[in-house]
Amino acid sequence: MKLIKTIAVTAVAAALAACSKAPESNDVAVTPETLDIKPIQVYSSRKEHLIKPLFDRYTEKTGVPITYITDKEAPLIARLQAEGEATPADMFITVDVGNLWLAASKDLFRSIDSDSLKQSVPASMRDEQNRWFGLSKRARTIVYNTDMVDPATLSTYESLADSKYQGKLCLRTSKKVYNQSLVGSMIAADGVEATEATVKGWVNNLAVPPFSNDTKALEAVASGVCDMTIVNTYYFGRLIADKPELPLAIFWPNQDDRGVHVNLSGAGVTKYAKNPEGAQALIEWLASPEAQVDFAGLNKEYPVNPQVKPVDLVASWGEFKEDDANLLSAGANQVESVQLMDRAQYK
């Protein structure tokens, strides 16, 4: 359901008082001029409880008000297209590189020149034309039932197509962009023909039809309906935090070759932003060490900023080699991914 919210401006006196204090190295400076900056309007497919605490902090810190709308990514992208130059949106936050790539391909972002973002966000996690920047990472990895699977028998995403796993695999629907991006990354690594063979093998090995979301797939694994699944790590984190007794564990695949597929939530300044400077400053702050712990930690994700460590729960899952190929390939292969999964009858 769509939400429209406004974060009120901090009292002028309080903000001006803050000006007298020397800012920390990664602080956004508060000056009388910043109080005159127009509100920043954000469209976000990242849920309210994950963005509001950060927006509250930014407003308290700078005196800059933030108005935001939350909805699913497809309606927000359609809205930006329909509004065109009349859009009130200065900034668009969304999840998955597929959605970031789609918004960029529809010319909804503007390129911005930011040394701060280039330092905070690794090159593989930002657009080559600097139209969008990653703000948190999630790994899409294998989770297995510890009572039913010896992790020594697991190896790669591709290996889950082996006939020895027939009737043992659960998956989320192919209609979700997370799986489209995973398959897009496999196309980039293995080629179309080999990836299609892998996806056909997955379909042959399904214990039950694909689930509507990652949590249901995890619950099926925990209850013994199937032995393993492929999910985003934060879904695992949420479930285990609530039910630590579940017999579930993470396995990091493809550690002897390209590494684990990682994806992003990210943001860009909209093409027709009325306050592009304010939106850029907000994205820069969200990528800074000061904000990254909470931006990633609230959703049990990984920070994109290499200076910042993940929260303890996420760190407890151990280190892993990640696929460091530029995520643009996963986005650019979206259409081919969907067509491939249709041919493989992955629903």
Side-chain angles (χ1 to χ4, degrees):
M1 181 177 179
K2 180 172 66 179
L3 295 171
I4 302 177
K5 301 282 185 178
T6 302
I7 298 176
V9 184
T10 312
V12 173
L16 288 173
C19 298
S20 63
K21 299 178 182 179
E24 297 177 7
S25 59
N26 55 12
D27 278 356
V28 177
V30 180
T31 68
E33 288 75 20
T34 64
L35 299 178
D36 296 328
I37 292 179
K38 295 175 293 185
I40 302 167
Q41 171 73 59
V42 180
Y43 286 3
S44 174
S45 68
R46 194 168 172 90
K47 294 182 179 179
E48 182 186 28
H49 71 279
L50 300 177
I51 57 171
K52 186 178 185 299
L54 278 301
F55 290 171
D56 285 343
R57 281 176 57 192
Y58 189 77
T59 295
E60 182 179 1
K61 183 181 186 64
T62 66
V64 177
I66 300 171
T67 301
Y68 61 92
I69 292 173
T70 62
D71 204 346
K72 293 185 177 179
E73 54 270 6
L76 289 175
I77 289 174
R79 180 172 181 158
L80 283 167
Q81 285 186 280
E83 290 171 341
E85 294 183 27
T87 185
D90 300 306
M91 173 178 161
F92 179 42
I93 300 178
T94 191
V95 294
D96 198 277
V97 69
N99 292 319
L100 292 163
W101 175 86
L102 181 62
S105 72
K106 293 181 180 295
D107 200 24
L108 299 179
F109 291 133
R110 67 174 65 198
S111 178
I112 59 175
D113 185 15
S114 170
D115 290 338
S116 171
L117 285 170
K118 290 174 184 176
Q119 292 174 4
S120 297
V121 182
S124 63
M125 296 178 188
R126 48 184 158 90
D127 177 54
E128 291 176 338
Q129 298 179 47
N130 297 318
R131 294 170 296 182
W132 55 259
F133 296 82
L135 292 174
S136 62
K137 293 190 299 185
R138 61 278 299 272
R140 192 155 189 81
T141 193
I142 297 171
V143 173
Y144 64 95
N145 185 310
T146 56
D147 293 335
M148 302 170 72
V149 177
D150 177 359
T153 65
L154 299 172
S155 58
T156 65
Y157 298 108
E158 292 84 353
S159 72
L160 296 182
D162 193 296
S163 60
K164 70 182 180 181
Y165 295 120
Q166 189 167 13
K168 297 183 178 182
L169 180 64
C170 282
L171 291 174
R172 184 178 188 160
T173 175
S174 67
K175 295 178 176 62
K176 186 60 184 179
V177 69
Y178 303 154
N179 282 332
Q180 294 165 13
S181 291
L182 170 61
V183 171
S185 73
M186 292 168 63
I187 290 172
D190 301 335
V192 173
E193 185 176 347
T195 301
E196 187 167 343
T198 293
V199 175
K200 286 180 178 177
W202 289 353
V203 172
N204 290 337
N205 289 342
L206 287 175
V208 289
F211 291 93
S212 60
N213 61 58
D214 282 13
T215 301
K216 289 181 179 179
L218 285 166
E219 289 171 343
V221 173
S223 63
V225 171
C226 44
D227 290 9
M228 64 208 65
T229 188
I230 301 173
V231 295
N232 283 355
T233 44
Y234 62 86
Y235 286 100
F236 171 82
R238 291 174 187 171
L239 189 59
I240 288 297
D242 187 47
K243 299 178 180 179
E245 72 279 4
L246 291 178
L248 296 173
I250 282 176
F251 178 82
W252 302 118
N254 296 79
Q255 293 301 280
D256 292 331
D257 48 69
R258 66 182 180 278
V260 175
H261 172 64
V262 295
N263 213 304
L264 304 168
S265 70
V269 179
T270 60
K271 182 176 181 179
Y272 297 112
K274 308 303 185 291
N275 184 10
E277 296 84 3
Q280 177 174 329
L282 176 56
I283 296 173
E284 289 172 342
W285 181 76
L286 290 172
S288 73
E290 180 184 4
Q292 276 282 286
V293 172
D294 285 343
F295 191 94
L298 285 170
N299 198 36
K300 299 173 177 60
E301 295 175 289
Y302 295 87
V304 294
N305 191 318
Q307 300 178 54
V308 181
K309 295 180 179 180
V311 295
D312 289 346
L313 174 64
V314 176
S316 72
W317 304 334
E319 296 183 356
F320 61 92
K321 177 184 176 181
E322 63 184 62
D323 186 350
D324 61 1
N326 194 298
L327 284 169
L328 286 175
S329 61
N333 288 335
Q334 290 284 307
V335 173
E336 194 159 25
S337 296
V338 171
Q339 293 172 344
L340 184 155
M341 290 189 285
D342 283 346
R343 292 195 302 271
Q345 299 185 359
Y346 177 16
K347 305 299 183 183

